[in-house]
Amino acid sequence: MITHHFSSGLYAKECVFPKGSQIVQHKHNYDHLSILAKGKVLVVTDDEETEVVAPACLNIKANKHHGVLALEDCIWYCIHATDETDPNKVDQVLIKE
């Protein structure tokens, strides 16, 4: 389940997903924060795989493919600076690949 949160130039995508689910690898033109609020995940980037346990805040580097595999039921937030407020367009604005 995805919930969109917008506030004065900031966007947070809240993703609630069960154990075994995967967030597809993608990248952005800029660094951004991701917050694991609940659960345990494996974060997969171009260079490494890192197990992360909530609560945790991660800095996802620009131009790095990254994805997430849920090792437990999770709540994950991606935080971006953007003025886009249309949930149907925000991924097109933010995701490079």
Side-chain angles (χ1 to χ4, degrees):
M1 177 180 79
I2 294 177
T3 304
H4 304 279
H5 305 275
F6 299 95
S7 178
S8 299
L10 289 176
Y11 166 63
K13 178 186 274 186
E14 177 183 353
C15 303
V16 177
F17 50 100
K19 178 180 177 178
S21 298
Q22 196 166 11
I23 294 177
V24 177
Q25 283 203 345
H26 59 281
K27 64 182 173 179
H28 306 279
N29 291 325
Y30 51 85
D31 294 356
H32 74 284
L33 295 177
S34 287
I35 298 170
L36 179 61
K38 175 187 171 189
K40 180 167 54 170
V41 298
L42 185 65
V43 177
V44 180
T45 66
D46 288 332
D47 331 16
E48 62 186 345
E49 294 183 355
T50 306
E51 191 171 291
V52 179
V53 178
C57 185
L58 299 93
N59 184 33
I60 307 296
K61 294 294 187 180
N63 298 307
K64 292 263 187 181
H65 282 98
H66 57 283
V68 178
L69 172 63
L71 302 175
E72 297 177 355
D73 293 348
C74 295
I75 301 175
W76 179 272
Y77 292 88
C78 294
I79 312 297
H80 299 273
T82 183
D83 291 322
E84 182 58 64
T85 58
D86 184 340
N88 297 312
K89 294 180 182 175
V90 72
D91 279 347
Q92 295 168 354
V93 171
L94 300 176
I95 295 175
K96 183 175 179 179
E97 292 180 19

